[in-house]
Each structure stands twice: as structure tokens, then as C-alpha cells.
Amino acid sequence: MSEYTWLEGIPLLANFLSLKYQTGEWRDFVFKEDDVLILSYPKSGTHWMIEILSLIRTKGDPKWIQSVPIWDRSPWIEIQNMYEALEAQEGPRLITSHLPIQLLPKSLFTSKAKVIHLIRNPKDVLVSGYFFSKVCSSFEQVASLQEHFERFLQGNVLCGSWFEHTQGWMSMRGKESYLMLHYEDMKRDTRSTIEKICQFLGKTLEPEEMNSVLKHSSIQAMRDNKMSNYTLMDGSNFNLKNGPFLRKGVSGDWKNHLTVAQAEAFDRMFQEKMAGLPPELFPWD
Ligand code: PPS
């Protein structure tokens, strides 16, 4: 059963939350200038981004992604033991987080650490989260999609309101160390997104290295990679009999699941909450 710990009004996974987050010591975590932080609201394509960044780091060589679990390659700062592993890690770090901006240590904003903020159509995020709740017992357990829908709009889900989370991180727009990417663009043109990431990180890939990054980060390759498909976790908080960790991996699946009334209610809420932000920040339908 899922059980949340509320930290500064944000629901977080009680079973997994780092002690440092429970004691407040997280505020002292030191970001370094060669850190890269992958920041996303849950179910936005985080694992895909980790796979791509891992492969960029190895210039397309799949040895690392095929021998080290994805959560060890880019640990979540808010998760037990991973926080400590990050503190102990030497050299450039890949760091992941689903937290809202106010729960990231201040050193992030004074260091030159780079932030890649990945966002996705929240209706797809909502649907993805609903199916994930059947696979992962730590996620909120709901009786129906309608219940999850209501909780999502209220922000009564893991990591709180999508609207507030997204707006919070978007306040970094314009900073040199911040790159915002869209899942939908990654789907439409993965190569261009990888080129954008390389440019942001000051990296270059030879054409065959780029092809290897593309090949090994495809959803099929990730499903086949036991270091990325969560089969190593099966039977713990994950029950892969109820569905795969890497589910459909498409844009617009919400159309198969939300009713017209739900989609309209969602859109009204979106207009209300995101008013004032340029519509081009949200390139989905
Ligand atoms: S988590 O558990 O919150 O960190 O989930 P997250 O990784 O952010 O998002 C999971 C969704 O991303 C999809 N995914 C991919 N799509 C396309 N290509 C690749 N390689 C890929 N890897 C993961 C995954 O299928 C989840 O979306 P849904 O819509 O549920 O399929």
C-alpha cells in the first residue's frame, strides 16, 4: 500500500524518502559544476532521459547501460541510500529528481550544475500514472481512473500538483544552466533532441555514436535491457505481472482513456492554472 510522507505540503513516498529529507539535512547537499540534474514530474519520460544521458556519456557504448542498473547510473536525490551514494560519488554525476523546485538544495541554484527539465502532456502523465499504480504498490492505489483523475487535478498525488511543479521549474527559463525539453519532441524527432542535449552539455557525437545512442535508448532496447526494465525489482514494490514498467511510450494515449468530459474538465483547469505562460511552452494537443 502506498503511504505518503508530506514534506512542506508535498506528498512523497514514505518508504523510499531519504532520511536526509526527513531530518532537513538535504538542504546542505552540495551540487557541483559538473553535475547534470534530470528533473521531471513523475511519468514524464525520466528513465528515457537517463538512458540517453548515460549513452551520451559513453559516446554510444552500451556497456555501462547494460551492466549498471538505471537507478545507480543516475540516482534520485530524494531516495534513501541514493542520496548517500550521490554524496560519496566522485567525478561528474548524473542526478535525478521528481521534486518540486522548493525541495532542491539551494546549492543547485548557485552552482553551475546543469538542469534538464523534461515535461510531458499532463493528460498523458495522468494516464501513465494510473497504469503505473497497478505495477508499483508504492504509488497511490486507486479504485478507478476517475479517482486518479480527481486526485491528479487536486494535486493529491506523488510530488503534488503537476501545474505547480511545472510552473516552479519553468521559473528557471532563461538561465544558461537550464534546458527544458518536451517528451513529445523527443518522440517526434529523437535525434534533434539528442543534438540539443549535446549542445547544452558541450558534448559532440560522431554519426555512428549518435546512431548507437538512438538504437540503445529506443523503448524496445530499454524493454530488453534488464538494467533498465525493472525486472531486477520485480516482486519488491513492483509487480510486473500487472503490466510492464515501460508501458506504451507514445504521445496522446490519453485519448484512449479519458472521456470527453474528463478532457474538457482537465483543459479548463489547465487554462486556469497555466494562464500567463506562452502556449508554445506546451506543444501538445
Ligand atoms: S517514473 O517512474 O515516474 O520515473 O516514470 P518516467 O520514466 O518519468 O515515465 C514513464 C513513461 O515514459 C515512457 N518511456 C518511453 N517512451 C518512449 N521511449 C522510451 N525509450 C521510453 N522509456 C520510457 C514509459 O513508457 C512511460 O510512459 P507510458 O505512457 O506509461 O508508456
Side-chain angles (χ1 to χ4, degrees):
M1 265 316 260
S2 70
E3 207 183 306
Y4 287 133
T5 284
W6 294 71
L7 190 64
E8 298 185 13
I10 305 295
L12 300 173
L13 293 177
N15 293 345
F16 290 96
L17 190 63
S18 161
L19 270 180
K20 304 278 182 171
Y21 266 86
Q22 298 177 36
T23 59
E25 287 168 83
W26 62 271
R27 293 175 200 281
D28 302 326
F29 184 89
V30 179
F31 275 92
K32 301 180 200 157
E33 63 177 25
D34 49 9
D35 288 337
V36 176
L37 174 68
I38 301 161
L39 199 289
S40 60
Y41 189 85
K43 309 321 291 178
S44 301
T46 323
H47 287 78
W48 189 12
M49 185 57 74
I50 298 176
E51 207 76 332
I52 287 173
L53 289 177
S54 303
L55 285 159
I56 292 175
R57 189 153 283 190
T58 61
K59 294 202 165 282
D61 184 339
K63 272 203 275 314
W64 192 37
I65 64 158
Q66 291 171 352
S67 57
V68 177
I70 196 160
W71 51 85
D72 286 339
R73 284 183 262 125
S74 185
W76 269 254
I77 188 173
E78 62 266 31
I79 305 245
Q80 262 171 32
N81 303 328
M82 296 195 191
Y83 182 106
E84 288 76 7
L86 281 169
E87 273 191 323
Q89 191 177 326
E90 284 171 16
R93 297 176 295 190
L94 288 176
I95 304 175
T96 305
S97 180
H98 285 321
L99 293 174
I101 194 165
Q102 66 274 20
L103 294 181
L104 260 287
K106 290 278 174 289
S107 65
L108 174 65
F109 308 103
T110 51
S111 79
K112 291 195 173 121
K114 293 197 158 76
V115 178
I116 297 180
H117 179 202
L118 180 60
I119 69 167
R120 184 184 192 189
N121 184 338
K123 287 190 237 151
D124 282 334
V125 168
L126 185 161
V127 167
S128 180
Y130 171 66
F131 286 103
F132 189 58
S133 68
K134 299 175 188 299
V135 171
C136 179
S137 59
S138 305
F139 221 66
E140 54 272 357
Q141 298 300 300
V142 288
S144 63
L145 178 58
Q146 175 62 23
E147 187 187 337
H148 180 64
F149 178 85
E150 285 164 18
R151 291 179 63 135
F152 190 94
L153 287 194
Q154 290 157 6
N156 187 15
V157 285
L158 178 63
C159 292
S161 157
W162 179 91
F163 306 97
E164 285 165 24
H165 190 287
T166 303
Q167 273 184 338
W169 281 104
M170 278 186 176
S171 68
M172 282 190 80
R173 273 181 308 138
K175 292 216 162 97
E176 232 175 86
S177 59
Y178 172 84
L179 177 69
M180 188 175 85
L181 294 172
H182 295 92
Y183 177 93
E184 291 71 22
D185 289 339
M186 283 171 74
K187 278 298 298 180
R188 200 174 43 246
D189 189 347
T190 317
R191 185 181 293 267
S192 297
T193 306
I194 296 174
E195 280 164 358
K196 234 189 229 179
I197 296 171
C198 285
Q199 202 179 2
F200 176 65
L201 298 180
K203 307 257 184 210
T204 47
L205 292 175
E206 297 301 324
E208 68 279 11
E209 294 168 346
M210 168 63 90
N211 288 339
S212 185
V213 175
L214 282 165
K215 175 176 162 198
H216 292 288
S217 62
S218 72
I219 192 154
Q220 196 49 53
M222 287 182 67
R223 281 181 183 139
D224 293 341
N225 180 1
K226 66 176 189 303
M227 296 297 152
S228 308
N229 64 15
Y230 275 71
T231 47
L232 294 176
M233 291 279 195
D234 199 11
S236 56
N237 294 287
F238 289 83
N239 189 350
L240 298 177
K241 277 201 288 297
N242 294 340
F245 179 74
L246 298 148
R247 198 182 61 98
K248 280 198 182 170
V250 298
S251 303
D253 189 41
W254 66 267
K255 292 174 192 157
N256 299 315
H257 298 283
L258 298 190
T259 63
V260 172
Q262 283 172 330
E264 285 175 359
F266 195 103
D267 291 345
R268 276 196 300 279
M269 173 77 103
F270 189 96
Q271 298 305 333
E272 189 189 306
K273 296 273 191 188
M274 305 311 260
L277 283 165
E280 58 270 21
L281 291 179
F282 310 113
W284 50 65
D285 49 43

